[in-house]
Amino acid sequence: MMYTLSQIAQTLGRPVEGDGTIRFARVAEPAAAGPGDLALAMSPAYAEALHAGQARVAVLWEGADWRAMGLEGAILVPRARLAMAGITAALDPGPRMNVGLHPTAIVEDGAQIGEGAAIGPFVVIAAGARIGARARIAGHVTVAEEAVIGDDALLMQGVRIGARVRIGDRFIAQPGVVIGGDGFSFVTPEESGVEKARRTLGDQGEITQQKWTRIHSLGSVRIGDDVEVGANSTIDRGTVADTVIGRGTKIDNLVMIGHNNRVGEDCLLCGQVGLAGGSTIGDRVVLAGKVGVSDNITIGNDVVAGGGTEIYSRVRDGEVIMGSPAVKMETNMAMYRALRRLPRALEQLSELRRAVAGMTGGKRDDD
Amino acid sequence: MMYTLSQIAQTLGRPVEGDGTIRFARVAEPAAAGPGDLALAMSPAYAEALHAGQARVAVLWEGADWRAMGLEGAILVPRARLAMAGITAALDPGPRMNVGLHPTAIVEDGAQIGEGAAIGPFVVIAAGARIGARARIAGHVTVAEEAVIGDDALLMQGVRIGARVRIGDRFIAQPGVVIGGDGFSFVTPEESGVEKARRTLGDQGEITQQKWTRIHSLGSVRIGDDVEVGANSTIDRGTVADTVIGRGTKIDNLVMIGHNNRVGEDCLLCGQVGLAGGSTIGDRVVLAGKVGVSDNITIGNDVVAGGGTEIYSRVRDGEVIMGSPAVKMETNMAMYRALRRLPRALEQLSELRRAVAGMTGGKRDDD
Amino acid sequence: MMYTLSQIAQTLGRPVEGDGTIRFARVAEPAAAGPGDLALAMSPAYAEALHAGQARVAVLWEGADWRAMGLEGAILVPRARLAMAGITAALDPGPRMNVGLHPTAIVEDGAQIGEGAAIGPFVVIAAGARIGARARIAGHVTVAEEAVIGDDALLMQGVRIGARVRIGDRFIAQPGVVIGGDGFSFVTPEESGVEKARRTLGDQGEITQQKWTRIHSLGSVRIGDDVEVGANSTIDRGTVADTVIGRGTKIDNLVMIGHNNRVGEDCLLCGQVGLAGGSTIGDRVVLAGKVGVSDNITIGNDVVAGGGTEIYSRVRDGEVIMGSPAVKMETNMAMYRALRRLPRALEQLSELRRAVAGMTGGKRDDD
């Protein structure tokens, strides 16, 4: 498919500079752009790379002198990443899927599929499931009994939607996502060693041999509108109530959301984040890669946690945290800077103790 | 399906208080409970929420005055989580599966399926595989050649059981579990930089360009009775011997168990735990979320490791550990408290050095 | 299948000691070896175990006195792990697959499959995809439109290859691998709290309510020859350019490689490693289990990162690093040793401050 510069300008709500009729089939990084590409060079840092490439048209930073760069047309944008959203949405062909039911797909009696849906090969939609209009369901997806999915869903290959899961509109799930596995919840007949250790902060008491009995998951998973989930991530069902993901929240790959968590709206949960269970996460919370959240924690609104942060206790609204255990980012940095100085400081402490002992003539225990 | 309060009391081995004939279809959290629900309020902390809801019957903590709460019937239990196991087991409808072979399922010649098994759509059971009685195998599961699975297995959608894997009775695998992928094991012709760095604790010596050659996995995976594995977790096969998971051990989502690990009985491995390879884990070990275990480590019985702990060396029986690298929890907490005080302590040290230098009139190197 | 000692010796390029005609069906660990097994005991540490077993033939360390151990034949090898590669390659039966197209597999018009390929049950190869000669594609694999895979590929059950992904020869993917999920990339209309926090190292400024808009992934994934990917790992497509994995790189289970990363050649990425996005990783880099790499980082050639290392900034060629944040391993160990001493050092500091205060008679603020 071919696009004109004017089409993209219109998409972005920005004026065209130069020749808006120039056509291209794809976007490219500035240095790699050929004469038939739209170069993306939305920061002055790319000016040189643009010269190295052969683009005739480009999207540039605001104020860029596009003529001096030898271009024939350009769009100037004030916020690069926002422009990227518009450009990539316009050019994304999306996965190739055919409207209708693939002959190998199984839609059990009593399942409902909305108008205009595309259901791929070897898909299984169980009885009682309801899927909205214009759904695009790729090969090997399974949707279990009584699950409900809103309009305009995109479920990629091998996604598993469990029984009674309810999902809003415009849901996107990358391949291998599992929504509605059982929660991980077990109990021993008497108080277990791990329960005692948590209660006493470290003391298991007398050890007894006990087996784990399963607590079943009677709850399900409830997901709002405009949620996305990345490849091979898992969201477990709740024990009695549902596990909840709020509207607009985006979840990356290999993220683990345990049972009974309640995640707010417009959050970002990056790759390999893990929420143990039973925690409440506010709105607009950003958890960077590999962040871990212990169970039954409350995290306020607008919290930002840096990569690898481990959260064992309550976090207040708006805090920017880091480290293990999580503390405010500035505290974390101060502690770290001090730790870097510590080996030298211990030497100084020893010298000082010797000096003072010499002054007093007193005895001193060596460490 | 409807239940009576007496039925649940009988399941729990507890007496009914009040009217045992009251019927309900589901359990609910106290505040959300309607008049047709069984409220679960097994701690005095829920008393208020119970008032807010409309439940007529509830499961309560021992000693609760159920009549004063306006209930018509109740069951009082001494250990809430244990009661939860009984109640949820009684009410869980389980995944909906039909006994028999789905017409799209493929059972190769020479595969054996036990009596009363339910084999779902698009399942593939390879030649030489043996599956026990009453297995419930959901859609898209594959069981490879010569794999053996005991009685009463529950394999959810898309589970992959590799060749020659042997699994005991009552095995449960959530969607996307992979048992029997190849181990991650490679070697260079000469000693590699990483081998040198491990041997010298940091010095790679001269760097040489070498390619990795694969060490194949001839072993398989052996799993005892009553084991569960969570969504998208992976257990690799061993190189020569088998990777082993002991009876009664429960494994959460996105857990990675590398080749040649030997995990004991009745362990809990929580979400995103990773065992590199070749380690021996004792019985009743609890590894909280995101715990990592380096290769060829021995962990004793009854060890409890807190969330995010990284284990690089031997752990003795019964230790409660935390941190990176793992130390006893009390040591970890003492180190952390000291670190919090460190920035202030470094200032005090500087002041003290100035004071002592002033007293002696001597010279001092500044740091 | 049966093998002779001479066959294995020839594979390893080593002479046979004793009777090379002795036959065996499998290898075994020394203590577990029966009379029909080849024992693997390539270090003097196994001498005793060898006595406990019943092997007649063994692979031993260089210089071992095989006759004194009661063996009838042996192969002596200088580098045990390298010998393991040869032995296991010779004995691995590989997954059982039949050349040709399974009747339930779907190869869309316009897809090309090379000679001698084995395509398993319920596989879907989309239009425009090209798969090389002798591919072995297990059940439930999907290969999307325009994807290209070289010769001698082995794709295990349920692997997902996305649209336009290009992969070299001898590719191996364990079950559940997802190549070509969408990148995790979102933007708010105005600068978001997390952007501000990253720019200011901790200050989000005034909080505003904004929704995330998706940046689509127009790029794909490009993978060189001789790459392996472990079970349930995910590699996301790039935004404009491709995400790149260099020739010879090996990736373990549950690894997350975000969009626009460029990983070099002959790297090892161990279990649960995560690369956020946009980073450049050199050649021969080894990232041990659970290592995390923040976005837009440059890591040089021949870097070794210990388990759990978190990398937030540039790493130079050849560095051996550890910790969070990553520092040189020796620095990490010095910091850690100092931290272990810190609780006692703080006591000493207090004593010293009291002593000095006593000497000067001056006042002192207590902390």
Side-chain angles (χ1 to χ4, degrees):
Chain A
M1 187 162 169
M2 298 293 285
Y3 306 85
T4 66
L5 194 59
S6 293
Q7 283 174 328
I8 300 300
Q10 202 164 10
T11 297
L12 301 180
R14 303 290 301 170
V16 181
E17 313 283 333
D19 183 354
T21 67
I22 293 177
R23 289 154 66 84
F24 54 86
R26 44 163 229 150
V27 294
E29 300 202 326
D37 297 338
L38 174 68
L40 300 182
M42 291 174 279
S43 141
Y46 289 116
E48 205 168 326
L50 199 57
H51 277 286
Q54 307 171 44
R56 296 168 61 206
V57 288
V59 185
L60 301 172
W61 64 99
E62 206 163 28
D65 184 354
W66 58 275
R67 278 189 196 85
M69 294 174 197
L71 295 168
E72 299 170 40
I75 306 167
L76 310 188
V77 298
R79 180 153 161 75
R81 285 178 62 80
L82 191 59
M84 281 298 285
I87 296 165
T88 58
L91 270 75
D92 187 358
R96 196 190 291 162
M97 294 186 186
N98 299 317
V99 171
L101 198 64
H102 193 278
T104 60
I106 297 172
V107 177
E108 293 186 2
D109 286 351
Q112 296 174 31
I113 313 282
E115 267 184 74
I119 311 289
F122 307 121
V123 166
V124 181
I125 316 278
R130 296 205 315 268
I131 293 171
R134 297 171 301 280
R136 291 175 293 163
I137 301 189
H140 295 94
V141 168
T142 54
V143 180
E145 60 268 20
E146 316 294 340
V148 177
I149 303 176
D151 291 339
D152 299 295
L154 173 58
L155 308 186
M156 297 300 286
Q157 289 82 5
V159 166
R160 315 294 170 190
I161 308 292
R164 296 176 297 284
V165 168
R166 287 173 293 161
I167 300 177
D169 294 336
R170 294 172 297 281
F171 179 64
I172 299 178
Q174 299 297 324
V177 164
V178 177
I179 312 281
D182 284 348
F184 189 72
S185 193
F186 297 91
V187 61
T188 48
E190 309 292 327
E191 192 179 34
S192 63
V194 63
E195 284 173 283
K196 286 183 214 162
R198 292 187 77 151
R199 182 164 50 76
T200 62
L201 294 178
D203 182 9
Q204 291 195 71
E206 202 186 336
I207 285 163
T208 53
Q209 297 197 10
Q210 301 186 98
K211 295 193 194 317
W212 298 104
T213 302
R214 183 171 221 267
I215 296 177
H216 288 245
S217 296
L218 303 179
S220 188
V221 179
R222 192 152 30 96
I223 296 180
D225 293 335
D226 297 300
V227 169
E228 298 199 19
V229 184
N232 283 348
S233 286
T234 70
I235 305 178
D236 282 356
R237 54 182 66 244
T239 305
V240 172
D242 292 338
T243 302
V244 177
I245 310 293
R247 179 200 51 71
T249 284
K250 317 297 184 186
I251 298 171
D252 199 355
N253 298 0
L254 293 171
V255 170
M256 148 53 165
I257 299 186
H259 64 284
N260 284 33
N261 284 292
R262 301 179 63 88
V263 178
E265 303 189 343
D266 296 319
C267 296
L268 290 189
L269 275 52
C270 298
Q272 295 176 324
V273 159
L275 311 188
S279 289
T280 302
I281 317 290
D283 297 332
R284 296 172 304 281
V285 168
V286 177
L287 304 182
K290 287 185 181 291
V291 167
V293 180
S294 189
D295 43 4
N296 301 311
I297 302 293
T298 300
I299 296 181
N301 296 323
D302 302 295
V303 167
V304 176
T309 295
E310 288 170 347
I311 302 174
Y312 304 102
S313 58
R314 184 188 189 92
V315 184
R316 290 199 183 77
D317 287 354
E319 285 196 345
V320 179
I321 56 174
M322 188 137 194
S324 173
V327 290
K328 286 190 190 173
M329 191 174 283
E330 63 199 40
T331 307
N332 184 262
M333 289 191 296
M335 285 162 68
Y336 183 71
R337 277 192 305 267
L339 184 57
R340 286 301 297 263
R341 288 172 57 200
L342 181 60
R344 176 80 186 105
L346 291 183
E347 289 170 20
Q348 293 173 344
L349 179 62
S350 289
E351 287 164 19
L352 206 55
R353 296 179 71 219
R354 275 192 298 272
V356 170
M359 286 156 61
T360 59
K363 285 195 299 188
R364 192 175 66 82
D365 289 336
D366 274 287
D367 49 317
Chain B
M1 188 161 167
M2 297 294 285
Y3 307 83
T4 65
L5 194 61
S6 293
Q7 283 174 326
I8 300 299
Q10 200 162 12
T11 297
L12 300 180
R14 304 288 303 169
V16 182
E17 314 283 332
D19 183 354
T21 68
I22 294 177
R23 291 154 65 84
F24 54 87
R26 44 165 229 150
V27 293
E29 300 201 326
D37 298 336
L38 174 67
L40 300 182
M42 292 174 279
S43 141
Y46 289 115
E48 204 167 326
L50 200 57
H51 277 286
Q54 306 172 45
R56 297 168 59 207
V57 287
V59 185
L60 300 172
W61 64 98
E62 206 162 28
D65 185 354
W66 58 273
R67 277 188 197 84
M69 294 174 200
L71 296 168
E72 299 171 40
I75 307 168
L76 311 187
V77 298
R79 181 154 160 75
R81 285 178 62 80
L82 190 60
M84 280 298 284
I87 296 165
T88 59
L91 270 76
D92 186 358
R96 196 189 292 161
M97 294 186 187
N98 298 318
V99 171
L101 198 65
H102 193 277
T104 61
I106 296 172
V107 177
E108 293 186 2
D109 285 352
Q112 295 174 32
I113 312 281
E115 265 184 75
I119 313 288
F122 308 122
V123 166
V124 181
I125 315 279
R130 295 206 314 269
I131 293 171
R134 297 170 301 281
R136 292 175 292 164
I137 301 190
H140 296 94
V141 168
T142 54
V143 180
E145 60 268 20
E146 317 293 339
V148 177
I149 303 175
D151 291 341
D152 299 296
L154 173 59
L155 307 186
M156 296 300 285
Q157 290 81 5
V159 166
R160 314 295 171 189
I161 307 292
R164 296 176 297 284
V165 167
R166 285 173 294 162
I167 300 176
D169 293 337
R170 294 172 296 283
F171 180 64
I172 299 179
Q174 299 296 324
V177 164
V178 177
I179 312 281
D182 284 348
F184 189 71
S185 193
F186 297 91
V187 61
T188 48
E190 309 292 328
E191 193 180 33
S192 64
V194 62
E195 283 173 284
K196 285 182 215 163
R198 291 186 79 150
R199 182 164 49 76
T200 62
L201 293 178
D203 182 8
Q204 291 195 70
E206 202 187 336
I207 285 162
T208 52
Q209 296 198 9
Q210 302 186 96
K211 295 192 194 318
W212 297 104
T213 301
R214 184 172 221 267
I215 297 178
H216 289 245
S217 296
L218 304 179
S220 190
V221 178
R222 192 151 31 94
I223 296 179
D225 293 337
D226 296 301
V227 169
E228 298 200 18
V229 185
N232 284 348
S233 287
T234 70
I235 305 178
D236 283 354
R237 53 182 66 242
T239 306
V240 173
D242 291 339
T243 302
V244 177
I245 309 293
R247 180 199 52 69
T249 284
K250 316 298 184 186
I251 298 172
D252 199 355
N253 297 1
L254 293 171
V255 170
M256 148 53 166
I257 300 187
H259 63 285
N260 284 35
N261 284 292
R262 300 178 63 88
V263 178
E265 303 188 342
D266 296 318
C267 295
L268 290 190
L269 276 52
C270 298
Q272 297 176 324
V273 159
L275 311 188
S279 289
T280 301
I281 317 290
D283 296 335
R284 295 172 305 281
V285 169
V286 177
L287 304 181
K290 288 186 181 290
V291 167
V293 180
S294 189
D295 43 4
N296 301 311
I297 302 293
T298 300
I299 296 180
N301 295 324
D302 302 295
V303 167
V304 177
T309 295
E310 289 171 345
I311 302 174
Y312 304 102
S313 58
R314 183 186 188 94
V315 184
R316 290 199 183 77
D317 286 357
E319 285 195 345
V320 179
I321 57 175
M322 189 138 193
S324 173
V327 290
K328 284 190 189 172
M329 189 174 283
E330 63 198 41
T331 306
N332 184 260
M333 288 192 296
M335 286 163 68
Y336 183 73
R337 278 192 304 266
L339 184 57
R340 287 301 298 262
R341 288 173 55 200
L342 181 60
R344 176 80 186 104
L346 291 184
E347 288 170 21
Q348 293 173 343
L349 178 62
S350 290
E351 287 163 21
L352 205 56
R353 293 180 71 217
R354 274 193 298 272
V356 170
M359 285 156 61
T360 59
K363 285 195 299 190
R364 190 175 68 81
D365 291 335
D366 274 287
D367 50 317
Chain C
M1 186 162 169
M2 297 293 284
Y3 306 84
T4 65
L5 194 60
S6 294
Q7 283 174 327
I8 299 301
Q10 201 164 11
T11 296
L12 300 180
R14 303 288 303 168
V16 181
E17 314 282 333
D19 182 354
T21 67
I22 293 176
R23 290 153 66 84
F24 54 86
R26 46 163 227 150
V27 293
E29 301 202 325
D37 297 337
L38 173 67
L40 301 182
M42 292 173 280
S43 141
Y46 289 115
E48 203 167 328
L50 199 57
H51 278 287
Q54 307 172 44
R56 297 168 59 206
V57 287
V59 185
L60 300 173
W61 65 97
E62 207 163 26
D65 184 354
W66 58 274
R67 276 189 198 86
M69 294 175 198
L71 296 169
E72 298 170 42
I75 307 169
L76 310 188
V77 298
R79 179 152 162 76
R81 284 179 63 79
L82 190 60
M84 281 298 284
I87 296 165
T88 58
L91 270 75
D92 186 359
R96 195 190 292 163
M97 294 186 186
N98 298 318
V99 172
L101 197 65
H102 193 278
T104 61
I106 297 173
V107 177
E108 293 186 2
D109 285 351
Q112 295 174 31
I113 312 282
E115 266 184 74
I119 313 288
F122 307 122
V123 167
V124 181
I125 315 279
R130 296 204 314 268
I131 292 171
R134 296 171 301 280
R136 292 175 292 164
I137 301 190
H140 295 94
V141 169
T142 55
V143 180
E145 60 268 19
E146 317 293 339
V148 177
I149 302 175
D151 291 340
D152 298 297
L154 173 59
L155 307 186
M156 296 301 284
Q157 289 81 4
V159 167
R160 314 296 170 189
I161 308 292
R164 298 176 296 284
V165 167
R166 286 173 293 161
I167 299 176
D169 294 336
R170 293 173 298 281
F171 180 64
I172 299 178
Q174 299 297 324
V177 165
V178 177
I179 313 282
D182 284 348
F184 189 72
S185 191
F186 297 91
V187 62
T188 49
E190 309 292 328
E191 192 180 33
S192 64
V194 63
E195 284 173 283
K196 286 182 215 163
R198 291 187 78 152
R199 182 164 51 74
T200 62
L201 293 178
D203 183 7
Q204 292 196 70
E206 203 186 335
I207 285 163
T208 54
Q209 296 197 10
Q210 302 187 97
K211 294 193 194 318
W212 298 104
T213 301
R214 183 172 220 266
I215 297 178
H216 289 245
S217 296
L218 303 179
S220 189
V221 179
R222 193 151 30 95
I223 296 180
D225 294 335
D226 295 301
V227 169
E228 298 199 19
V229 184
N232 283 348
S233 287
T234 70
I235 305 178
D236 281 357
R237 52 182 66 244
T239 306
V240 173
D242 292 339
T243 302
V244 177
I245 309 293
R247 179 198 53 69
T249 284
K250 317 297 185 187
I251 298 171
D252 199 355
N253 296 2
L254 293 171
V255 170
M256 147 54 166
I257 299 187
H259 63 285
N260 285 33
N261 284 292
R262 301 178 61 88
V263 177
E265 304 188 342
D266 296 319
C267 296
L268 290 189
L269 275 54
C270 299
Q272 296 175 325
V273 159
L275 311 188
S279 290
T280 301
I281 316 290
D283 298 333
R284 295 173 305 282
V285 168
V286 177
L287 304 182
K290 287 186 180 291
V291 167
V293 180
S294 189
D295 43 4
N296 302 310
I297 302 293
T298 300
I299 296 180
N301 296 323
D302 301 296
V303 166
V304 177
T309 296
E310 288 170 346
I311 302 175
Y312 303 103
S313 59
R314 183 188 189 92
V315 184
R316 291 199 183 77
D317 287 354
E319 285 194 346
V320 180
I321 57 175
M322 190 138 194
S324 173
V327 290
K328 285 190 189 173
M329 189 173 284
E330 63 198 40
T331 307
N332 185 261
M333 288 191 297
M335 286 162 67
Y336 183 72
R337 278 192 305 265
L339 184 57
R340 288 299 299 261
R341 288 173 56 200
L342 181 60
R344 176 80 186 105
L346 291 183
E347 289 170 19
Q348 292 173 343
L349 179 62
S350 290
E351 288 163 19
L352 206 55
R353 294 179 72 216
R354 275 192 298 272
V356 170
M359 286 156 61
T360 60
K363 286 195 298 190
R364 191 175 65 82
D365 290 336
D366 274 287
D367 49 317

